Amino acid sequence: MEATGTDEVEKIKSKFMSAWHNVKYSWVLKTKTYFSRNSPVFLLGKCYHFKTDEPTEQSPNGSNYDVTEDGISRNVEEFRKDFISRIWLTYREEFPQIKGSALTTDCGWGCTLRTGQMLLAQGLILHFLGRGKFPKLENYDWTWPDAFVIENPDSESWTSHTVKKLTASLEASLTGEREFKNQPGPPKQIPKGDWGKRESRDEHYHRKIISWFGDSPLANFGLHRLIEYGNKSGKMAGDWYGPAVVAHLLRKAVEEARDPELQGITIYVAQDCTVYKSDVVEMQYSFMDSEKSDAKSVIILIPVRLGGERTNMEYLEFVKGILSLEYCIGIIGGKPKQSYYFAGFQDDSLIYMDPHYCQSFVDVSIKDFPLESFHCPSPKKMSFKKMDPSCTIGLYCPNVQGFERASEEITKILKASSKEKYPLFTFVNGHSKDYDFVMSPTQEERALSSEDENKKLKRFSTEDFVLL
């Protein structure tokens, strides 16, 4: 009875925390973010200009107002649709209980896991749907057709809705435990006869990618599965996870995924700020099915530190250079004790998606489950100097040739931005074993629980947002 009482207290406490985080962060979705018309905006390798300077016959001096405004409008709309089409994964509540705990929400502790999920989701979008130089079928940039259907929620009504939900959930907690009869399972398959249409194929993969991140023990990359892998390294549900830890959890999740469609992609995590090129290529050719002739696509995750206690501003140009590459699938980073998914920049400000909003559990196994809560209605900006130095960079390479090109381009950026003798990380020829560096499973588990982020837990900072 005592254990049961403790569980009830923890559940009620988690409901209060969910409500508090909603009140705390809901205004962020309402607040407008301002962008300069005079500087380009980069979003995961794509560049958008919000002004047009080209003259017309009617305006030889280039001052035609209508042409300029039309050009701005088109670029703003294209940028908005591109941003909204990225997959947004946030705190959730009322999902199936996490094994080994009484938790049914990740509010207050799961933000880095969520930003890691967003980075992986972007890699899967490139892999299955296409973007820029990474089309799966032809030169095609996928965007969500219903992106502009999303409206910014009103903060006042959202907050009052939160209070009502809290009251209802507290009453429910006193009468009995909610049962989850519909556990998320594999997404519904679209009949092969309908695959002739591009829209059907796109919707299939759009929904399938989201379903892989469902809040269910069955989801390949869901919170429950990531925490399960973290348990083997001493991490528990409710613990704070750093960017480097999450990189290894994502690698393990992709490695263990049994969905046939996920066998064509793998994850490599850099070792000691070094990418060993032969190890990456070996992973790309590691198909168990001998009938497969193509190499695997690879997502490369590189945990780095951009300074000591604070981010060194010398790394700004490097970060901007990485985010301007189409190989980049984002950065797991943030401010101290707050993780954000960085996806772009303008001038000296980073563009990000914020996971710190608690939304209700969505059963992704049902047919036509709602997609709106998985897409962020508006981007946010943060000054680079407020970024925490600990982060993980994500890259996507569709094949071996793509990896070679990416390593060449990134090496140039590293050399151009490095004013010191040693770059932030390196690409080297050969295998890690050639350099007497082999990470055993025991060493890897130790690395997950003893990284620099443990020092960060002792520090607190203000949680103001920089809106430029």
Side-chain angles (χ1 to χ4, degrees):
M1 290 296 292
E2 184 176 346
T4 303
T6 302
D7 288 347
E8 287 300 323
V9 170
E10 288 299 318
K11 290 169 186 174
I12 293 174
K13 185 189 298 183
S14 70
K15 294 178 190 302
F16 272 115
M17 287 301 297
S18 297
W20 163 241
H21 280 283
N22 272 13
V23 172
K24 187 177 182 181
Y25 294 107
S26 61
W27 67 274
V28 176
L29 296 178
K30 180 67 175 177
T31 307
K32 291 183 179 180
T33 301
Y34 296 96
F35 290 87
S36 170
R37 291 190 177 191
N38 300 316
S39 303
V41 176
F42 284 85
L43 182 68
L44 296 169
K46 285 191 173 296
C47 180
Y48 295 91
H49 293 274
F50 293 166
K51 76 171 185 176
T52 302
D53 293 323
E54 296 182 2
T56 65
E57 293 182 1
Q58 290 78 14
S59 178
N61 64 355
S63 60
N64 188 305
Y65 180 83
D66 291 334
V67 172
T68 301
E69 289 301 308
D70 286 346
I72 293 171
S73 177
R74 283 195 298 272
N75 275 280
V76 169
E77 293 304 292
E78 288 172 6
F79 167 74
R80 284 188 61 230
K81 188 168 186 179
D82 191 7
F83 177 85
I84 294 172
S85 297
R86 302 312 107 203
I87 293 176
W88 184 39
L89 298 161
T90 71
Y91 288 158
R92 295 279 174 174
E93 62 179 351
E94 300 175 354
F95 52 60
Q97 186 170 311
I98 297 173
K99 185 178 179 181
S101 77
L103 293 171
T104 59
T105 178
D106 61 318
C107 283
W109 57 271
C111 58
T112 315
L113 293 170
R114 296 301 188 180
T115 54
Q117 287 179 321
M118 285 189 259
L119 182 142
L120 177 55
Q122 177 59 20
L124 295 174
I125 285 177
L126 265 60
H127 187 68
F128 289 104
L129 293 170
R131 176 180 171 83
K133 65 175 67 174
F134 305 118
K136 196 64 180 175
L137 296 180
E138 70 262 6
N139 190 16
Y140 175 75
D141 281 338
W142 175 82
T143 53
W144 184 33
D146 296 332
F148 291 146
V149 174
I150 292 183
E151 295 182 359
N152 241 352
D154 180 85
S155 60
E156 188 173 328
S157 62
W158 206 293
T159 303
S160 61
H161 175 64
T162 299
V163 174
K164 291 178 181 178
K165 284 183 62 179
L166 172 64
T167 304
S169 61
L170 286 175
E171 290 176 352
S173 68
L174 297 176
T175 57
E177 186 68 29
R178 176 180 176 180
E179 295 182 359
F180 290 87
K181 297 181 180 180
N182 295 321
Q183 289 286 331
K188 303 297 182 180
Q189 297 288 331
I190 293 178
K192 291 185 178 180
D194 296 339
W195 275 50
K197 295 183 179 180
R198 173 104 236 178
E199 295 79 7
S200 296
R201 180 188 177 281
D202 287 354
E203 183 179 4
H204 167 78
Y205 277 114
H206 182 197
R207 289 182 175 278
K208 189 158 194 177
I209 290 171
I210 291 175
S211 74
W212 282 327
F213 296 92
D215 293 310
S216 157
L218 300 177
N220 286 289
F221 312 130
L223 193 76
H224 295 69
R225 193 68 61 89
L226 296 180
I227 291 170
E228 178 185 336
Y229 297 135
N231 289 343
K232 299 174 182 177
S233 303
K235 287 287 186 179
M236 305 296 292
D239 288 349
W240 192 86
Y241 294 72
V245 170
V246 171
H248 286 278
L249 297 182
L250 294 177
R251 179 198 61 76
K252 184 67 173 177
V254 171
E255 182 182 283
E256 295 293 327
R258 292 294 174 259
D259 191 307
E261 294 197 81
L262 290 170
Q263 303 312 301
I265 191 167
T266 186
I267 287 184
Y268 174 89
V269 180
Q271 303 170 18
D272 197 23
C273 297
T274 304
V275 177
Y276 294 94
K277 297 171 72 173
S278 295
D279 287 346
V280 175
V281 173
E282 191 173 89
M283 290 180 69
Q284 290 183 279
Y285 281 121
S286 62
F287 268 117
M288 297 178 65
D289 187 349
S290 59
E291 296 181 1
K292 296 280 186 179
S293 57
D294 296 332
K296 289 184 179 183
S297 299
V298 63
I299 289 174
I300 300 174
L301 301 180
I302 309 170
V304 296
R305 281 193 71 85
L306 304 177
E309 288 296 305
R310 296 182 179 180
T311 295
N312 189 335
M313 290 299 291
E314 296 291 338
Y315 291 119
L316 172 60
E317 293 306 315
F318 163 76
V319 171
K320 291 165 69 172
I322 289 292
L323 289 171
S324 66
L325 294 176
E326 286 189 307
Y327 298 101
C328 181
I329 54 174
I331 298 175
I332 306 170
K335 296 191 295 187
K337 293 189 69 64
Q338 277 185 268
S339 183
Y340 299 145
Y341 170 59
F342 294 117
F345 69 91
Q346 183 182 48
D347 296 324
D348 294 347
S349 294
L350 299 175
I351 298 170
Y352 66 90
M353 287 198 287
D354 190 347
H356 299 89
Y357 192 80
C358 193
Q359 303 188 88
S360 296
F361 165 76
V362 174
D363 185 351
V364 296
S365 70
I366 64 174
K367 183 178 180 181
D368 298 329
F369 64 87
L371 297 169
E372 289 75 16
S373 67
F374 296 100
H375 292 276
C376 186
S378 63
K380 298 300 167 190
K381 292 170 70 177
M382 185 190 84
S383 173
F384 176 76
K385 65 183 179 182
K386 292 200 172 187
M387 181 180 179
D388 189 275
S390 181
C391 62
T392 291
I393 296 167
L395 308 168
Y396 170 82
C397 303
N399 47 43
V400 174
Q401 294 75 22
F403 168 64
E404 292 293 341
R405 287 194 297 271
S407 62
E408 291 174 5
E409 289 188 39
I410 294 169
T411 299
K412 291 178 183 177
I413 294 175
L414 285 165
K415 289 180 178 179
S417 62
S418 178
K419 295 182 180 180
E420 300 180 1
K421 186 176 180 180
Y422 299 103
L424 196 58
F425 62 89
T426 59
F427 290 85
V428 299
N429 294 320
H431 297 273
S432 57
K433 61 184 179 183
D434 300 333
Y435 297 84
D436 295 325
F437 187 98
V438 180
M439 181 175 280
S440 67
T442 303
Q443 288 174 316
E444 183 173 300
E445 290 180 8
R446 191 178 300 130
L448 295 188
S449 58
S450 62
E451 60 172 6
D452 289 334
E453 281 85 7
N454 290 331
K455 298 178 182 178
K456 187 187 324 184
L457 293 175
K458 301 178 182 178
R459 305 200 307 272
F460 290 86
S461 68
T462 57
E463 296 184 350
D464 55 304
F465 289 83
V466 180
L467 302 179
L468 303 181

